Amino acid sequence: MSYALRKRLVKVMDVVLALICLFFIAFPIFWLVLTSFKPEQYVYSNAVIFPPTLDNFRAILAGDPLDFKPYFLNSMIISLATVLIAIPLATMAAYVLSRYVFKGSLALLLWMLTTQFLPPVVVVIPFFTLFRRIGLIDTHLGLIIINLSLTIPYAVWMLKGFADALPGEVEEAAMVDGCNEFQVLRHVTFPLLMPGVITTAEGAEFNYNLARFGAGRGGLLEYTGSAAHNPFLTRALLIASIEAVEEEYGVTPSQAYFDWKAANPDLLPEWAK
C-alpha cells in the first residue's frame, strides 16, 4: 500500500470517527427538539413521522395548566448569579495556584478537591442552621451561597488545568515587549484562558444550577442512596416553607417523591412498595 493511499485512508477514518462522535452528541439534541413537537400520544413512542403540534409550547408559554415562567425565572436568577460570582473568583484562584508555588498550595488544592466527595445533603444541615440564624432561609441569596460552595472548588480545578496548559514563555515574551503584569493578564493570559472559562461556566451552570430546575419539575427525588446527591432535595431543605419550595420548583417535596414512586415502581425496595 502506497503512502498516498494510506494517508487517504487515515483521512477517511478521521472523517468517519468524527461523524460517529457528532452523531452521539447531536442525536439527543435532535430527539429533544423532535419530541417537543410531538402530540401527547406520541411522546413516549419512537415515532419519527407524526402530525406536529405546538400545544406543548402553548402549555409552557400560556401557563396552562401550570405557569412555568416564575419557576424558570427563579432558576435563572440563582444560576446566573452563581456563575457570575464563581467564575471570576475561580479564575483568579486557579491562575495563582497554577503559576505560584507557596507553602500549603497543594494542601489547599486537595482540600478543595475533597469537598467534591461530600454529598450536598451532608453539609446542608450546618448551612440550614446558619441560614436560619441570619435570616437567609427562603431567599435567593441563601441558595446562591450554597451553590457557590459546590461550584467554586469544581471551577478552580477545571481552570487550573487550563492554566497549567498555557506556556509561561508567552507571558514572559509579553513582559519583554513592555507589558506589566496587569497588561499580561488582560491581553495575553485571560484571552487564552477564555475557552476554559466558557467550558467551566457551562459545566458549573449545568451540573449545579440548571439541574435544579429539571430535578424539581421531573420529580427526580431518588429513593436509593444516590438521593444524597439530589440537588432538589438539598435545596428544598434550605427553603423552610412548603409554599416557598413550590414557588421555587413548581412541585412540593412530597409531590416529587410520589411522582417518582409512581413512575419507577421497579426501583423501590420491597418494604417501600
Side-chain angles (χ1 to χ4, degrees), residues 80-97:
L80 290 178
T82 301
V83 171
L84 291 176
I85 296 173
I87 295 304
L89 294 177
T91 302
M92 292 184 287
Y95 179 79
V96 170
L97 292 169

Side-chain angles (χ1 to χ4, degrees), residues 34 40 62 78 83 106 155 161 178 180 183 188 203 235 240 268:
L34 190 69
E40 185 175 357
I78 295 171
V83 171
L106 180 59
N180 55 37
Q183 291 172 330
V188 178
R235 274 72 174 192
L268 291 171

Side-chain angles (χ1 to χ4, degrees), residues 13 45 109 115-116 142:
M13 290 300 297
S45 69
L109 277 170
T115 63
Q116 302 300 289

Side-chain angles (χ1 to χ4, degrees), residues 162-185:
F162 285 100
D164 289 341
L166 295 180
E169 291 79 3
V170 176
E171 298 174 349
E172 294 174 0
M175 297 187 72
V176 170
D177 289 338
C179 292
N180 55 37
E181 292 186 1
F182 177 76
Q183 291 172 330
V184 170
L185 292 175

Side-chain angles (χ1 to χ4, degrees), residues 140-192:
H140 287 138
L141 181 58
L143 291 178
I144 291 171
I145 291 174
I146 195 170
N147 282 342
L148 288 174
S149 69
L150 301 174
T151 303
I152 289 179
Y154 160 82
V156 169
W157 268 94
M158 284 285 292
L159 288 169
K160 184 181 181 298
F162 285 100
D164 289 341
L166 295 180
E169 291 79 3
V170 176
E171 298 174 349
E172 294 174 0
M175 297 187 72
V176 170
D177 289 338
C179 292
N180 55 37
E181 292 186 1
F182 177 76
Q183 291 172 330
V184 170
L185 292 175
R186 180 181 177 184
H187 298 292
V188 178
T189 306
F190 287 161
L192 293 175

Side-chain angles (χ1 to χ4, degrees), residues 92-163:
M92 292 184 287
Y95 179 79
V96 170
L97 292 169
S98 174
R99 288 293 186 264
Y100 303 99
V101 178
F102 52 89
K103 186 176 181 179
S105 59
L106 180 59
L108 180 60
L109 277 170
L110 293 176
W111 175 74
M112 285 191 290
L113 183 62
T114 57
T115 63
Q116 302 300 289
F117 301 155
L118 297 175
V121 74
V122 172
V123 298
V124 74
I125 301 303
F127 271 113
F128 178 82
T129 304
L130 175 63
F131 289 174
R132 185 176 60 179
R133 290 181 179 178
I134 62 179
L136 289 181
I137 297 294
D138 290 351
T139 64
H140 287 138
L141 181 58
L143 291 178
I144 291 171
I145 291 174
I146 195 170
N147 282 342
L148 288 174
S149 69
L150 301 174
T151 303
I152 289 179
Y154 160 82
V156 169
W157 268 94
M158 284 285 292
L159 288 169
K160 184 181 181 298
F162 285 100

